[in-house]
mmCIF file of all heavy atoms in Angstrom:
data_model
loop_
_atom_site.group_PDB
_atom_site.id
_atom_site.type_symbol
_atom_site.label_atom_id
_atom_site.label_comp_id
_atom_site.label_asym_id
_atom_site.label_seq_id
_atom_site.Cartn_x
_atom_site.Cartn_y
_atom_site.Cartn_z
ATOM 1 N N LEU A 217 73.247 63.061 42.610
ATOM 2 C CA LEU A 217 73.185 61.578 42.536
ATOM 3 C C LEU A 217 71.875 60.956 42.893
ATOM 4 O O LEU A 217 71.623 59.850 42.738
ATOM 5 C CB LEU A 217 74.292 61.014 43.450
ATOM 6 C CG LEU A 217 75.694 61.316 42.969
ATOM 7 C CD1 LEU A 217 76.747 60.741 43.928
ATOM 8 C CD2 LEU A 217 75.993 60.813 41.584
ATOM 9 N N GLY A 218 71.002 61.715 43.560
ATOM 10 C CA GLY A 218 69.640 61.254 43.876
ATOM 11 C C GLY A 218 68.718 61.302 42.706
ATOM 12 O O GLY A 218 67.575 60.704 42.746
ATOM 13 N N ALA A 219 69.089 62.008 41.651
ATOM 14 C CA ALA A 219 68.194 62.231 40.569
ATOM 15 C C ALA A 219 68.314 61.086 39.594
ATOM 16 O O ALA A 219 68.912 61.225 38.524
ATOM 17 C CB ALA A 219 68.509 63.579 39.806
ATOM 18 N N THR A 220 67.715 59.997 39.830
ATOM 19 C CA THR A 220 67.673 58.843 38.992
ATOM 20 C C THR A 220 66.240 58.831 38.143
ATOM 21 O O THR A 220 65.366 59.517 38.530
ATOM 22 C CB THR A 220 67.702 57.540 39.703
ATOM 23 O OG1 THR A 220 66.658 57.470 40.690
ATOM 24 C CG2 THR A 220 69.051 57.519 40.593
ATOM 25 N N CYS A 221 66.230 58.166 37.129
ATOM 26 C CA CYS A 221 65.190 58.090 36.180
ATOM 27 C C CYS A 221 64.111 57.093 36.799
ATOM 28 O O CYS A 221 64.173 55.872 36.666
ATOM 29 C CB CYS A 221 65.461 57.616 34.763
ATOM 30 S SG CYS A 221 64.168 57.663 33.635
ATOM 31 N N ASP A 222 63.114 57.708 37.491
ATOM 32 C CA ASP A 222 62.181 56.931 38.357
ATOM 33 C C ASP A 222 61.008 56.354 37.378
ATOM 34 O O ASP A 222 60.291 57.228 36.786
ATOM 35 C CB ASP A 222 61.552 57.703 39.429
ATOM 36 C CG ASP A 222 60.842 56.789 40.410
ATOM 37 O OD1 ASP A 222 59.966 56.031 39.938
ATOM 38 O OD2 ASP A 222 61.041 56.981 41.581
ATOM 39 N N PRO A 223 60.841 55.126 37.168
ATOM 40 C CA PRO A 223 59.746 54.653 36.246
ATOM 41 C C PRO A 223 58.437 55.078 36.639
ATOM 42 O O PRO A 223 57.509 55.241 35.877
ATOM 43 C CB PRO A 223 59.905 53.095 36.306
ATOM 44 C CG PRO A 223 61.295 52.841 36.839
ATOM 45 C CD PRO A 223 61.659 54.036 37.712
ATOM 46 N N ASP A 224 58.166 55.184 37.962
ATOM 47 C CA ASP A 224 56.862 55.570 38.428
ATOM 48 C C ASP A 224 56.519 57.019 38.000
ATOM 49 O O ASP A 224 55.369 57.298 37.537
ATOM 50 C CB ASP A 224 56.764 55.565 40.047
ATOM 51 C CG ASP A 224 56.740 54.087 40.523
ATOM 52 O OD1 ASP A 224 56.504 53.175 39.683
ATOM 53 O OD2 ASP A 224 56.932 53.868 41.732
ATOM 54 N N VAL A 225 57.453 57.950 38.055
ATOM 55 C CA VAL A 225 57.231 59.263 37.615
ATOM 56 C C VAL A 225 56.972 59.286 36.084
ATOM 57 O O VAL A 225 56.020 59.931 35.632
ATOM 58 C CB VAL A 225 58.383 60.204 37.980
ATOM 59 C CG1 VAL A 225 58.127 61.630 37.498
ATOM 60 C CG2 VAL A 225 58.643 60.195 39.397
ATOM 61 N N ALA A 226 57.783 58.515 35.308
ATOM 62 C CA ALA A 226 57.479 58.556 33.909
ATOM 63 C C ALA A 226 56.176 57.978 33.530
ATOM 64 O O ALA A 226 55.452 58.503 32.749
ATOM 65 C CB ALA A 226 58.669 57.591 33.284
ATOM 66 N N ALA A 227 55.697 56.859 34.220
ATOM 67 C CA ALA A 227 54.338 56.328 34.003
ATOM 68 C C ALA A 227 53.258 57.240 34.378
ATOM 69 O O ALA A 227 52.223 57.346 33.681
ATOM 70 C CB ALA A 227 54.247 54.901 34.661
ATOM 71 N N TRP A 228 53.424 57.975 35.458
ATOM 72 C CA TRP A 228 52.364 58.954 35.968
ATOM 73 C C TRP A 228 52.278 60.003 34.918
ATOM 74 O O TRP A 228 51.149 60.542 34.600
ATOM 75 C CB TRP A 228 52.846 59.374 37.361
ATOM 76 C CG TRP A 228 51.916 60.455 37.862
ATOM 77 C CD1 TRP A 228 50.675 60.276 38.448
ATOM 78 C CD2 TRP A 228 52.210 61.907 38.033
ATOM 79 N NE1 TRP A 228 50.122 61.453 38.815
ATOM 80 C CE2 TRP A 228 51.032 62.409 38.686
ATOM 81 C CE3 TRP A 228 53.280 62.714 37.691
ATOM 82 C CZ2 TRP A 228 51.003 63.757 38.906
ATOM 83 C CZ3 TRP A 228 53.232 64.110 38.012
ATOM 84 C CH2 TRP A 228 52.105 64.609 38.688
ATOM 85 N N MET A 229 53.390 60.537 34.395
ATOM 86 C CA MET A 229 53.378 61.579 33.407
ATOM 87 C C MET A 229 52.678 61.127 32.169
ATOM 88 O O MET A 229 51.819 61.829 31.590
ATOM 89 C CB MET A 229 54.807 62.032 33.159
ATOM 90 C CG MET A 229 54.913 63.306 32.198
ATOM 91 S SD MET A 229 56.675 63.713 31.903
ATOM 92 C CE MET A 229 56.360 65.080 30.889
#
Side-chain angles (χ1 to χ4, degrees):
L217 292 177
T220 60
C221 185
D222 191 313
D224 288 350
V225 182
W228 178 72
M229 183 179 186

